Amino acid sequence: MKLLILATLLGLSLAQFNPNTRDGKTAIVHLFEWRWADIAAECERYLGPNGFGGVQISPPSESIVVTNPWHPWWQRYQPIGYNLCSRSGNENDLRDMITRCNNVGVNIYVDAVINHMCGAGGGSGTHSSCGSYFDANRKDFPTVPYSNLDFNDGKCNTGSGNIENYQDINQVRNCRLVGLLDLALEKDYVRGKVADFMNKLIDMGVAGFRVDACKHMWPGDLSAVYGRLNNLNTKWFSSGSRPFIFQEVIDLGGEPITSGEYTGIGRVTEFKYGARLGNIIRKWNGEKLSYLKNWGEGWGFMSSDKALVFVDNHDNQRGHGAGGASIVTFWDARLYKMAVAFMLAHPYGFTRVMSSYRWDRNIVNGQDTNDWQGPPSNGDGSTKPVPINPDSTCGDGWVCEHRWRQIKNMVAFRNIVNGQAFSNWWDNGSNQIAFSRGNKGFLVINNDDWELNDTLNTGLPGGTYCDVISGQKESGRCSGKEVVVGGDGRASFRISNQEEDPFIAIHADSKL
Ligand SMILES: *[C@@H]1O[C@H](CO)[C@@H](O)[C@H](O)[C@H]1NC(C)=O
Ligand SMILES: *[C@@H]1O[C@H](CO)[C@@H](O)[C@H](O)[C@H]1NC(C)=O
């Protein structure tokens, strides 16, 4: 009996590591702050056809509306209830988007904010995304409802009520994160409300959750909530499928709370990945691409099957959260494309591509004074649609990194090489590297300040391949560079350090 229970628990928790992507697809994209109607259209016209496995959406739950500063992006990380209306759209828009994305094989992952409600200074009134009344001073959120009995303050031992010292585990989990009212997830009632919210979304058809601020919740409480979640909707997923869980835990080392406390109950965001990769791509502190030879667990990262990886995310691309100045973003497009290509070619972790909007970046003494700015908006603060230009880029301040040819084609590369071994590593002891994924794909990068001119073993069958970075295979010919692989698997490469994209990628489907 005991064994049976153990097996059941283990079975449940193991399933939460599976992203449930259709057809073995291997990467998702975070469409940060997009409207539901635009995501639905993007699934149908672009993400489905180009092999994207899913979309991480911004928090759909009812949040506070902040007007000073003017509609910042972080207002959505301050829930006042679990009604499903936000600046991305209402519940009908959300349901329509989930349905349409699922129908073209693209999963939806919800950013779930369950650690806290709005800030203690959030005031009272109906300044919320569905117009529901709340009173932050009295910790009264009638739309859930939560009352002052449902918060952790009694357990917090700091003078301010906020987290003051990250070396104190109890503070980090029982006190307020930057003043946000901290929910008492130990309470059965609170767990029930959170699970009801997540289950409603599961029943609508979502495939899983990015769980916000997990470092600030006790793993045991999270495990209890996850245990209450329904199986996925069998209209799109096989019977018994568990929701994919990936937990935001910022662990760069140096704190008592580690990712390892959470990897038993779901995947975890590996923040070391982007921070360290940024150092290497920027060649800071003498770091080199050749050091990537043992990338992954060899660098002290969590095990690959527990990791959710990314080059940048919505927080650290604007200096929030963790990672610091080394993080590469679309603002450093040349380095960024190289970093994302490396991530998508390398087998470590489950990969997430970032899709951003521009803001008026203004860095003063290392701080971006406009890091709060919300998405491209109309005068009244409502989010603008994402217009698609004739050349397939996005307009109106939406960056759409996922539509950059180099990134879009590397998502396809990752799908094609899925399951293939990391092999045929080569480096020049400096910043020129290459590797294959079995006999299905090959990537070579030159981040040195001089030309790469070498004959390398690609591991691929002989033939002529289209480089999918400078172009791609189009109606039986290459729109960019061609690579001729000999019968022995070897090919000569010349990559000038002056090129906009000093890297080449070829794969089984780019063969002529
Ligand atoms: C790196 O690459 C270049 C050209 O491929 C080569 O000449 C050089 O010796 C290599 N090694 C180092 C340490 O730079
Ligand atoms: C590139 O390498 C080949 C073969 O080693 C050599 O013949 C050629 O001169 C090199 N080209 C340059 C520009 O160094």
Side-chain angles (χ1 to χ4, degrees), residues 377-388:
S377 296
N378 303 302
D380 63 357
S382 60
T383 305
K384 283 187 176 173
V386 181
I388 307 299

Side-chain angles (χ1 to χ4, degrees), residues 288 426-432 448 450-454:
K288 304 167 179 172
W426 168 87
D427 66 67
N428 72 337
S430 184
N431 290 290
Q432 301 182 358
D448 268 331
W450 54 86
E451 188 184 62
L452 178 153
N453 177 24
D454 274 284

Side-chain angles (χ1 to χ4, degrees), residues 117-194:
M117 301 299 277
C118 68
S124 69
T126 55
H127 49 295
S128 54
S129 53
C130 317
S132 301
Y133 175 83
F134 67 98
D135 184 343
N137 306 316
R138 294 177 46 234
K139 296 180 229 172
D140 186 22
F141 298 92
T143 177
V144 182
Y146 287 139
S147 73
N148 61 345
L149 301 174
D150 300 317
F151 293 85
N152 267 333
D153 300 287
K155 295 191 334 199
C156 171
N157 56 11
T158 65
S160 64
N162 294 333
I163 300 167
E164 296 173 1
N165 175 8
Y166 273 76
Q167 298 300 320
D168 179 341
I169 293 172
N170 289 296
Q171 279 189 32
V172 175
R173 289 170 172 155
N174 294 337
C175 297
R176 297 171 179 175
L177 167 65
V178 294
L180 299 164
L181 296 171
D182 202 56
L183 282 168
L185 273 167
E186 66 180 12
K187 287 189 65 180
D188 188 69
Y189 175 78
V190 175
R191 290 175 180 178
K193 287 298 175 188
V194 168

Side-chain angles (χ1 to χ4, degrees), residues 227-280:
R228 291 191 187 199
L229 298 182
N230 296 345
N231 289 335
L232 298 187
N233 188 324
T234 52
K235 182 164 181 205
W236 295 289
F237 302 95
S238 54
S239 154
S241 300
R242 297 295 295 157
F244 180 47
I245 299 288
F246 57 106
Q247 306 166 98
E248 185 211 13
V249 179
I250 301 176
D251 173 10
L252 292 171
E255 287 177 25
I257 297 177
T258 63
S259 308
E261 290 178 58
Y262 296 85
T263 48
I265 54 175
R267 287 210 188 217
V268 177
T269 51
E270 180 49 278
F271 275 84
K272 291 172 185 156
Y273 193 103
R276 307 278 189 271
L277 188 56
N279 277 323
I280 290 178

